[in-house]
Amino acid sequence: RNQANAYYHCARPERAGLVESCHGLPARLLDDLVATEVLRAISPASLEASLQAAANVEQERLRLEQHRLGRVERARYECQRAERQYDLAEPENRQVVRTLEARWNTALDALQVEEEELARFRQGHGPSAPSVLECEAIRQLASDVPGLWACSEMTHQERSELIRSVVDRVVVRVVDDSEHVDVTLHWAGGFASPHALVRPVGTYSQLRDYGELLDRIGELRSNGHTACSIASELSASGFRDSRGGELTASQIRHLWTRLASEGLNDCEWELSRLSLSVGVSESRLRDWLRRGWLRGRK
């Protein structure tokens, strides 16, 4: 497969028999974003902060575990104490024996509750933090990864396996078929990071700020700005063409022609459309304009 022309497209609506389809985007945009974020996440500086955070979490986990272990030990002591009192009671004194037996059963129940709480705590907090040797190995790997990633001998499959080791899934949402794409990386461990991409689209009307773009062109045009100055000003303001590049003078001319056609009255025609409608050439229509037989405006 040609990686340069790869394209991500969700086929779920088509499989479900729906008419509308999911909007896709070039794979290169998403792949570059994921690769950049993965390399940033496993860079030595980021990894050092993560290891320190993991150490802090492990320290807090140990503190809580020690607290729960203390509760278990106290419950076990109370259980053993109740058992000794029961064993020392005279069998003939049945009332005392029944009382001590009930106290012992209560202590046994309390011990079971504390042991179950400790087991749930250990299960819910997963594996412990990496050891000192493991941390050193991780640091060494982090320093080697950027060079390995850029190495031509590293295959696409190997890069994918590396990404899958730290990223659980990538969720992509194209906003209303516009050029804007919301991306959420769900990392191993539960953290999710939001990101934004700009994808190329087929038409200017798909641009999220298309209406505002036409308004600005009309405003600047009415103030006497040229196509070149309008392109420069709008590009500096952050407006882009349908492919994500800076606006050019020719694109501005195309857009203000479209703006003019959208502003036509009911009794007005574009010259090219009028020529097709009445079967008269554009040159003859221009001659009629000069003679005053037609009225027109630019």
Side-chain angles (χ1 to χ4, degrees):
R1 187 182 64 169
N2 186 353
Q3 295 296 329
N5 298 324
Y7 199 82
Y8 287 126
H9 175 76
C10 176
R12 182 178 298 176
E14 298 173 2
R15 293 173 182 170
L18 301 177
V19 176
E20 65 273 9
S21 62
C22 178
H23 313 295
L25 74 160
R28 175 184 53 81
L29 293 176
L30 187 59
D31 290 349
D32 289 348
L33 170 67
V34 173
T36 299
E37 293 304 317
V38 167
L39 291 177
R40 179 182 293 121
I42 61 178
S43 66
S46 298
L47 198 59
E48 196 63 41
S50 298
L51 290 175
Q52 183 59 50
N56 294 339
V57 171
E58 176 66 6
Q59 185 177 0
E60 178 64 13
R61 187 190 71 82
L62 289 174
R63 186 187 69 80
L64 294 174
E65 184 175 10
Q66 288 298 321
H67 173 71
R68 294 186 178 276
L69 279 171
R71 293 174 61 96
V72 170
E73 289 302 321
R74 286 194 297 272
R76 183 175 291 114
Y77 171 77
E78 293 296 333
C79 185
Q80 293 171 349
R81 180 168 175 267
E83 182 181 7
R84 288 195 301 269
Q85 290 176 342
Y86 175 80
D87 291 340
L88 293 174
E90 295 293 339
E92 296 82 9
N93 195 342
R94 295 181 180 179
Q95 183 65 32
V96 174
V97 169
R98 283 196 296 268
T99 301
L100 293 175
E101 183 180 15
R103 187 179 300 171
W104 183 20
N105 289 332
T106 301
L108 284 172
D109 292 339
L111 175 60
Q112 182 180 358
V113 169
E114 294 297 340
E115 288 176 338
E116 290 174 352
E117 288 290 336
L118 176 61
R120 279 194 293 268
F121 175 81
R122 287 172 170 171
Q123 183 179 6
H125 283 72
S128 59
S131 65
V132 175
L133 291 178
E134 289 172 333
C135 287
E136 288 303 319
I138 291 172
R139 290 188 181 96
Q140 182 61 38
L141 176 63
S143 63
D144 294 341
V145 166
L148 292 173
W149 187 273
C151 179
S152 59
E153 297 180 358
M154 189 173 189
T155 66
H156 178 72
Q157 181 179 357
E158 289 171 336
R159 291 188 179 94
S160 299
E161 290 174 355
L162 175 60
I163 290 174
R164 281 193 290 268
S165 68
V166 293
V167 177
D168 283 339
R169 67 185 188 277
V170 180
V171 179
V172 180
R173 184 177 73 90
V174 177
V175 182
D176 298 329
D177 194 25
S178 70
E179 77 278 23
H180 290 274
V181 182
D182 291 335
V183 180
T184 304
L185 300 184
H186 293 265
W187 300 85
F191 177 71
S193 59
H195 306 273
L197 286 175
V198 176
R199 67 172 189 138
V201 292
T203 63
Y204 285 98
S205 59
Q206 287 179 264
L207 297 174
R208 185 178 65 179
D209 301 327
Y210 174 65
E212 183 181 353
L213 174 62
L214 291 184
D215 290 342
R216 293 283 290 130
I217 291 175
E219 177 186 349
L220 295 171
R221 177 67 173 160
S222 63
N223 290 333
H225 288 264
T226 64
C228 289
S229 64
I230 293 175
S232 298
E233 183 168 340
L234 292 182
S235 294
S237 299
F239 288 98
R240 294 293 182 268
D241 64 14
S242 60
R243 311 304 293 178
E246 293 189 354
L247 292 165
T248 64
S250 62
Q251 291 170 334
I252 294 298
R253 294 189 189 98
H254 170 75
L255 285 170
W256 77 38
T257 300
R258 177 178 296 186
L259 179 62
S261 66
E262 291 180 357
L264 293 176
N265 298 322
D266 292 339
C267 60
E268 291 182 319
W269 295 70
E270 288 183 349
L271 192 64
S272 58
R273 293 187 178 181
L274 179 60
S275 172
L276 292 174
S277 178
V278 299
V280 177
S281 66
E282 292 187 31
S283 60
R284 177 164 293 185
L285 290 176
R286 292 193 184 93
D287 180 61
W288 290 358
L289 282 169
R290 286 192 295 270
R291 293 171 181 269
W293 298 351
L294 289 178
R295 286 179 297 177
R297 64 182 176 91
K298 289 188 179 180

